[in-house]
């Protein structure tokens, strides 16, 4: 064995290798901690954005519900005058109203006509979409705000769980 590789030199080289290994492992650990903190921060920001988006969506839905009772009475005439199929729906609605009135049931009649009009609007939106109409044309034809059309089409196209 050569003189320069005596046990003391080998021990020192081994200590240096161990120190470098520990330092390398510490650097790797520090990088992972930094990366984990960045990921946690991004997740927190994404969670905050999701909460804000949910709040905004809830506010939009409340506004749509507030606008619907006002716009339903305004939209029944243009919807009913739209096509022959709508005339049939209008006549069916009138017949249902006559039946309820003749039975003496007046409570909830306005709500029923509004829900029937809502169903009619959704059916018309979906029919127009199937026929290839753009949301802008659907909004114009049904006299409904574009944002409401887009929201309803998005809700109708979302997969049911």
């Amino acid at each position: 064995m050569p003189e320069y590789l005596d046990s003391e030199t080998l021990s020192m080289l081994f200590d240096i290798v161990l120190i470098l290994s520990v330092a390398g492992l510490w650097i790797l650990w520090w990088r992972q901690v930094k990366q984990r903190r960045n990921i946690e921060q991004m997740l927190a920001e994404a969670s905050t954005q999701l909460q804000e988006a949910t709040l905004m969506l809830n506010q939009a839905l409340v506004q749509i519900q507030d606008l619907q009772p006002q716009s339903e009475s305004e939209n029944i005439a243009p919807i009913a005058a739209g096509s022959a199929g709508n005339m049939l729906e209008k006549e069916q609605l009138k017949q249902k109203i006559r039946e309820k009135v003749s039975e003496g049931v007046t409570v909830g009649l306005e709500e029923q006509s509004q829900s029937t009009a809502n169903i009619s609007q959704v059916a018309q939106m979906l029919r127009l979409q199937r026929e290839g109409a753009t949301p802008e044309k659907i909004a114009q034809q049904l006299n409904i705000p574009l944002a409401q059309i887009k929201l309803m089409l998005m809700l109708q196209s979302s997969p049911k769980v």
Side-chain angles (χ1 to χ4, degrees):
M1 201 156 114
E3 288 180 22
Y4 59 90
L5 287 180
D6 61 353
S7 66
E8 193 173 309
T9 307
L10 283 175
S11 176
M12 191 182 338
L13 285 174
F14 184 70
D15 289 343
I16 291 173
V17 169
L18 281 176
I19 291 171
L20 290 175
S21 298
V22 169
L25 289 173
W26 183 81
I27 290 171
L28 286 175
W29 173 79
W30 179 252
R31 284 185 180 172
Q32 287 179 347
V33 166
K34 258 179 93 173
Q35 188 178 21
R36 188 177 67 227
R37 284 181 187 161
N38 288 339
I39 290 172
E40 288 173 354
Q41 182 181 8
M42 289 177 8
L43 285 173
E45 290 173 4
S47 175
T48 303
Q49 290 175 352
L50 182 60
Q51 287 175 348
E52 290 173 2
T54 303
L55 179 63
M56 290 172 56
L57 180 60
N58 287 339
Q59 290 173 349
L61 290 174
V62 167
Q63 288 177 353
I64 288 172
Q65 288 174 351
D66 289 344
L67 291 176
Q68 279 181 341
Q70 297 169 0
S71 64
E72 290 303 322
S73 60
E74 298 168 2
N75 290 336
I76 289 177
I79 290 172
S83 67
N86 291 336
M87 294 301 287
L88 179 61
E89 291 173 359
K90 183 179 176 184
E91 290 303 319
Q92 289 173 345
L93 178 61
K94 284 182 182 179
Q95 182 61 32
K96 286 181 183 179
I97 292 171
R98 283 187 203 116
E99 290 171 4
K100 293 293 181 182
V101 170
S102 67
E103 293 173 4
V105 179
T106 57
V107 178
L109 190 58
E110 184 177 319
E111 292 174 10
Q112 180 182 6
S113 67
Q114 287 179 352
S115 68
T116 305
N118 286 342
I119 292 170
S120 174
Q121 283 182 338
V122 171
Q124 288 179 344
M125 281 190 280
L126 293 175
R127 178 181 53 81
L128 290 169
Q129 184 187 31
R130 276 194 311 270
E131 292 173 357
T134 64
E136 291 81 12
K137 288 190 180 194
I138 295 172
Q140 183 181 19
Q141 190 170 354
L142 297 180
N143 195 22
I144 299 174
L146 178 61
Q148 185 177 348
I149 295 289
K150 287 182 177 180
L151 179 62
M152 292 302 295
L153 291 175
M154 182 181 68
L155 291 174
Q156 291 296 326
S157 67
S158 66
K160 305 293 188 255
V161 178

